[in-house]
Amino acid sequence: MTLLECINSGMFYLDGGTGSVLQGMGLQPGELPELWNLTRPEDIITLGRSYYEAGSHMICSNTFGANALKYDGRDGRPTVETVVTAAVNCAQKARDTAVGGQRDKFVALDIGPLGRMLEPLGDLPFEAAVSLFAETVRAGAAAGADCVLIETMNDAYETKAAVLAAKENCDLPVLVSNVYDETGKLMTGATPEVMAAMLEGLGVDVIGANCSLGPAQMLKVLPRLAACTSRPILMKPNAGMPREVDGETRYDVGPEEFAALMAEMARCGARLIGGCCGTTPDYIRAVGKATAGMTPVPLTEKHRSVVTSYARSVEFGSRPVLIGERINPTGKKKCKEALRSHDMGYILNEAITQEDRGARILDVNVGLPEIDEPAVLTDCVREIQAVTALPLQLDTSDPVAMERAMRVYNGKPMINSVNGKAESMDAVFPLVKKYGGLVVCLTLDENGIPDTAAERLAIARRIVERAGEYGIGKEDLIFDPLAMAISSDSGAAMVTLDTVRLLKTELGVHTMLGVSNVSFGLPNRDFITAGFFTLAMQNGLDAAIMNPSSTEMMKAYHAYLALTGQDANCVEYIDFARNIVADTVTAAPAAGGTPGAGDGLRGAIIHGLREEAARAARQSLESADGLTVINEQIVPALDVVGQGFEAKTMFLPQLLMAAEAAKAAFDEVRATMPAGDAAGPAVILATVKGDIHDIGKNIVKVLLENYGYRVIDLGRDVPPETIARAAVEQDVRLVGLSALMTTTVPAMGETIALIRQVKPDCKIAVGGAVLTQEYADMIGADQYGKTAMEMVRYAEEVFGN
């Protein structure tokens, strides 16, 4: 059987941990596991063979960290191709020499994260990430791997880069597994619902979760994945939480307990099951026994119509969805000027304002003949996604602009639009098939816009049929039956409303409208538009492109929800009514009294508006001294963001962009202060020896600097002696250590022990995905920081701020 046939035929058993097992075989702290493919291949073959003989259908090649950031062929280092080829060959030899086990055995090319944050949150360009992953994929495919397993990904954007690299450089099945925390989110905020929508849109074959959590905790993530994905589900939890016993890292869930929980996962919908850190062949053998004879939960198509950003999903079909229309130059002089002058501040303020006023998706249209639309649209997508977690509707008639924007978009976008013309469908549908998206379908064709509802319905049928030929289902189509001006045709509104109804009842598809077109040429247009909006919702409209700052439109929306029982106890209506002032809709403060985008320096920082923050800081300095601006505006704004991040109401991208905005404000303040006044207490940060993953460290660095600390960043893969020496020479009172990989945690313990010897008055804080409070206590750390903000709070405690 092929790999996918085997997966679809029954329970499919994966392997267990690699790095944690290699530690028991002698892998030293800081030693790169992938080098064993070259220096100790028999050990790698033995490990792989033991998993096959324990019952694994598939094992991972020892290539988790095999990328050109580590293996570049310089200064005696091997190339990626050399390391990957050797790893796949070892796995194949393990397969070919295994005695017993499953009849069908496979080798997965294992791909882990790069260890660097992608732009705009970090310094690694998206296409550079794609290229790095592509090099690994090509080598693995050439060596004969049976599939690509992208695993332990904690960022949706990096996940997308890896998937595109796999899809563009081989024709192997692609399996993707992400790392969720106890709240069911990735580090950058994505939920299972977000990842399922994005990954299904990208066409992956298997979706799942691994690492970070033990089986009991991962069981809480599984039902959410099972409810929203139509793909087979993969689950590879850790063997519980790590702890140190007699100098060795051990885990608190044994094989039998682990197997019992994995059997429960199988009953809840997991089809591919195995283990991650701390699991061994004994665990896989126990899992096989506990699930022997079980029939997997049947796969079912979920048919969800959904779009996402990097952190939020919006599903169509329950209540009407509001799509903000203001980022569009048509009829908007200020927007035109902003696009011509590349005034991104105006665009970002429009995005934030519409979010504050109730939009759940933002339309982004930059179509002006005199600008470079592909370049400007991609710039807008990147910048807008840096300041808001709302999904975007990419609105362009230029296929080149569309593809570039879809490629860099972080999530599954809404695509506006396709129509009944063959050339339109042939240009757009291949892009949707490759990148994923929910497509707006206009009911017009080569003959224009039909006069009757029946003719518009006929065009919609043709679009559905053509989309199906590209493998795109009805759930990824939303139809716009086109609102026309009643000032020129008194029957136009009724034709549109009839079409909305027919599309729902006859074709079973979702609908949307640009509702303001109906009132073109009439006075007090919002009166007519709001009335039409209400009628359209009553006829089944699922979404509207509209102005959320229009009082009349928002009145119609909230009144409709209340009257149709979609606003329990009229809570949203009451909240909306309280915030109507004169003839405008004002934004209700977010939880915690978060200021809006226009609320001076604090608002600019909270919303991550760098240029606005710098301008507002200069304005504040005209009436206050630098320390007052820092203490009364900048730091309180950072506190609001930090509290939102800790409460999971704000996400990592928003946290980092707020920090960037605060930095811009700090730069303005520091320019007015003597050098000594701007220097804060010193803190050393380092990623421990053998670990090149410095994302967490860099996040802490950004936040500490914005709270006024002087950070001495020693980088990544730093030996204990270097860190200890720097602590003494700099006479610091706080050192922060980071580690992502299980194999490098012992180096953290060594570093702590050495610092205790040479700088006993220094406090040591630790953090990283594989750490727990118990483990931090065991290795002698003073503080375990689960999040970046916890590290900031501890620094304040240490320095008495």
Side-chain angles (χ1 to χ4, degrees):
M1 286 190 287
T2 66
L3 172 64
L4 294 182
E5 287 172 343
C6 192
I7 290 172
N8 288 324
S9 68
M11 294 302 301
F12 190 92
Y13 300 103
L14 303 167
D15 60 2
T18 297
S20 54
V21 177
L22 293 183
Q23 282 181 308
M25 298 171 68
L27 183 73
Q28 296 301 303
E31 186 179 2
L32 297 177
E34 297 84 15
L35 289 177
W36 277 34
N37 301 318
L38 303 171
T39 61
R40 297 178 62 173
E42 288 304 320
D43 287 322
I44 300 300
I45 294 169
T46 298
L47 175 58
R49 184 190 302 123
S50 67
Y51 276 124
Y52 281 127
E53 293 177 350
S56 297
H57 285 95
M58 183 169 74
I59 68 169
C60 292
S61 60
N62 182 30
T63 52
F64 180 82
N67 60 69
L69 295 177
K70 290 183 183 178
Y71 303 103
D72 56 7
R74 301 174 182 174
D75 300 325
R77 292 184 294 270
T79 64
V80 170
E81 182 179 9
T82 299
V83 171
V84 171
T85 301
V88 174
N89 288 342
C90 286
Q92 291 168 333
K93 289 178 182 177
R95 177 196 62 198
D96 296 339
T97 58
V99 177
Q102 304 293 341
R103 184 186 68 179
D104 299 297
K105 299 181 179 70
F106 305 93
V107 173
L109 172 65
D110 192 45
I111 294 181
L114 297 171
R116 288 172 60 184
M117 189 73 81
L118 273 61
E119 293 178 345
L121 307 180
D123 61 356
L124 185 65
F126 179 79
E127 291 300 339
V130 174
S131 296
L132 287 165
F133 286 126
E135 190 173 356
T136 303
V137 169
R138 288 192 295 270
D146 298 300
C147 70
V148 177
L149 172 57
I150 299 163
E151 61 147 314
T152 321
M153 290 287 174
N154 53 23
D155 174 24
Y157 207 29
E158 185 175 16
T159 305
K160 178 175 180 175
V163 171
L164 287 177
K167 289 285 188 176
E168 293 173 350
N169 289 276
C170 74
D171 57 2
L172 300 175
V174 178
L175 293 64
V176 177
S177 181
N178 291 101
V179 177
Y180 296 92
D181 63 18
E182 295 91 338
T183 68
K185 290 185 174 67
L186 305 192
M187 179 184 70
T188 48
T191 63
E193 293 79 10
V194 167
M195 293 310 300
M198 186 187 83
L199 292 172
E200 287 194 6
L202 288 167
V204 307
D205 298 287
V206 172
I207 295 172
N210 77 291
C211 205
S212 184
L213 302 175
Q217 295 77 24
M218 197 170 283
L219 258 171
K220 299 174 184 178
V221 175
L222 176 56
R224 293 177 63 180
L225 266 179
C228 64
T229 184
S230 306
R231 301 290 191 270
I233 297 175
L234 175 158
M235 289 278 132
K236 290 189 73 176
N238 292 343
M241 296 293 107
R243 52 194 175 89
E244 189 175 83
V245 178
D246 298 329
E248 295 183 0
T249 301
R250 298 184 184 176
Y251 289 77
D252 61 8
V253 176
E256 300 306 318
E257 181 184 357
F258 184 89
L261 289 166
M262 294 309 293
E264 181 61 25
M265 285 197 188
R267 286 188 285 270
C268 291
R271 181 174 288 251
L272 296 84
I273 53 178
C276 201
C277 300
T279 60
T280 66
D282 288 339
Y283 283 74
I284 303 306
R285 189 174 291 108
V287 169
K289 291 179 180 178
T291 57
M294 288 184 64
T295 300
V297 175
L299 299 175
T300 57
E301 292 294 328
K302 303 302 188 296
H303 299 297
R304 297 171 68 234
S305 296
V306 61
V307 296
T308 81
S309 65
Y310 62 84
R312 293 184 190 169
S313 60
V314 174
E315 187 166 0
F316 295 79
S318 53
R319 59 161 55 190
V321 174
L322 303 185
I323 303 170
E325 69 177 12
R326 298 299 299 170
I327 304 176
N328 187 325
T330 304
K332 302 178 184 69
K333 183 178 179 181
K334 289 184 178 179
C335 188
K336 286 181 181 178
E337 291 304 317
L339 292 172
R340 287 171 180 148
S341 62
H342 205 72
D343 179 5
M344 201 57 68
Y346 175 88
I347 302 298
L348 299 183
N349 268 295
E350 285 288 351
I352 293 166
T353 298
Q354 291 183 101
E355 178 178 15
D356 289 342
R357 295 180 180 179
R360 295 184 65 200
I361 298 172
L362 300 178
D363 182 70
V364 182
N365 183 317
V366 302
L368 288 174
E370 64 270 31
I371 67 172
D372 182 348
E373 187 174 355
V376 175
L377 183 59
T378 52
D379 283 349
C380 283
V381 167
R382 289 192 186 100
E383 293 283 348
I384 293 170
Q385 287 207 287
V387 301
T388 177
L390 291 186
L392 304 184
Q393 175 173 268
L394 309 179
D395 188 352
T396 177
S397 59
D398 182 341
V400 175
M402 181 68 76
E403 176 162 23
R404 289 191 191 176
M406 292 177 73
R407 188 171 181 85
V408 304
Y409 183 79
N410 192 355
K412 177 185 177 183
M414 199 162 177
I415 304 302
N416 194 352
S417 60
V418 73
N419 59 53
K421 298 177 183 178
E423 63 191 55
S424 173
M425 292 185 281
D426 290 342
V428 174
F429 284 151
L431 301 180
V432 176
K433 182 62 177 174
K434 177 175 181 178
Y435 296 107
L438 178 69
V439 192
V440 177
C441 306
L442 309 181
T443 55
L444 62 85
D445 60 13
E446 291 84 355
N447 298 314
I449 302 172
D451 294 328
T452 68
E455 291 173 302
R456 296 183 193 184
L457 178 64
I459 293 174
R461 289 188 190 279
R462 294 202 302 272
I463 294 174
V464 169
E465 292 173 2
R466 191 57 174 271
E469 295 173 5
Y470 282 94
I472 300 169
K474 288 195 296 185
E475 64 272 15
D476 281 328
L477 307 176
I478 184 167
F479 285 81
D480 183 347
L482 301 168
M484 308 299 289
I486 60 172
S487 58
S488 58
D489 180 356
S490 60
M494 292 309 300
V495 171
T496 300
L497 294 173
D498 287 344
T499 310
V500 169
R501 178 177 50 78
L502 287 173
L503 287 167
K504 299 289 289 184
T505 59
E506 297 292 324
L507 202 52
V509 295
H510 295 302
T511 58
M512 63 170 289
L513 284 169
V515 290
S516 63
N517 295 338
V518 76
S519 61
F520 182 78
L522 296 174
N524 293 316
R525 292 182 60 185
D526 278 0
F527 295 173
I528 293 290
T529 303
F532 176 68
F533 182 32
T534 300
L535 291 173
M537 289 188 286
Q538 187 62 33
N539 277 274
L541 188 73
D542 294 293
I545 303 177
M546 46 83 76
N547 179 8
S549 295
S550 164
T551 301
E552 295 299 327
M553 291 297 293
M554 297 305 288
K555 283 179 183 177
Y557 178 69
H558 286 288
Y560 175 80
L561 295 180
L563 290 167
T564 55
Q566 299 182 69
D567 178 6
N569 301 314
C570 301
V571 171
E572 293 178 41
Y573 175 81
I574 292 169
D575 186 55
F576 162 76
R578 285 174 178 162
N579 287 283
I580 294 179
V581 179
D583 292 323
T584 61
V585 178
T586 61
T594 303
D599 190 14
L601 179 54
R602 290 187 69 207
I605 292 172
I606 289 167
H607 288 285
L609 302 174
R610 295 183 297 271
E611 295 178 5
E612 178 66 18
R615 185 200 61 77
R618 290 193 296 271
Q619 187 174 28
S620 296
L621 289 167
E622 294 175 0
S623 57
D625 62 76
L627 287 176
T628 298
V629 172
I630 291 173
N631 294 327
E632 296 184 5
Q633 296 189 61
I634 297 177
V635 171
L638 286 170
D639 284 339
V640 169
V641 176
Q643 291 161 10
F645 180 69
E646 291 170 326
K648 303 293 185 179
T649 59
M650 298 184 78
F651 307 109
L652 180 61
Q654 293 163 296
L655 179 73
L656 294 181
M657 295 312 297
E660 287 296 313
K663 181 178 182 299
F666 266 123
D667 289 343
E668 297 294 333
V669 172
R670 290 190 180 107
T672 69
M673 300 171 65
D677 293 345
V683 178
I684 285 177
L685 295 180
T687 301
V688 298
K689 181 174 176 57
D691 204 321
I692 68 162
H693 300 84
D694 62 356
I695 292 175
K697 171 184 68 66
N698 291 343
I699 294 168
V700 173
K701 175 183 177 181
V702 169
L703 292 180
L704 285 173
E705 287 179 338
N706 279 283
Y707 273 83
Y709 296 96
R710 181 170 63 88
V711 175
I712 302 168
D713 184 358
L714 300 182
R716 52 189 179 177
D717 189 18
V718 185
E721 298 79 10
T722 301
I723 299 172
R725 183 169 58 251
V728 172
E729 292 175 352
Q730 298 292 333
D731 192 25
V732 298
R733 293 170 55 191
L734 177 60
V735 170
L737 303 176
S738 173
L740 173 72
M741 300 166 60
T742 305
T743 55
T744 59
V745 173
M748 183 176 281
E750 292 181 14
T751 304
I752 292 172
L754 186 57
I755 293 174
R756 294 287 184 231
Q757 293 177 21
V758 300
K759 193 78 168 61
D761 63 331
C762 180
K763 298 294 184 181
I764 304 169
V766 298
V770 296
L771 291 176
T772 63
Q773 181 66 61
E774 181 183 7
Y775 199 94
D777 293 340
M778 288 180 176
I779 60 177
D782 296 295
Q783 175 72 14
Y784 164 59
K786 190 172 185 179
T787 69
M789 281 307 303
E790 288 183 17
M791 300 294 276
V792 172
R793 304 295 183 222
Y794 184 63
E796 293 176 330
E797 179 183 324
V798 169
F799 294 103
N801 294 350

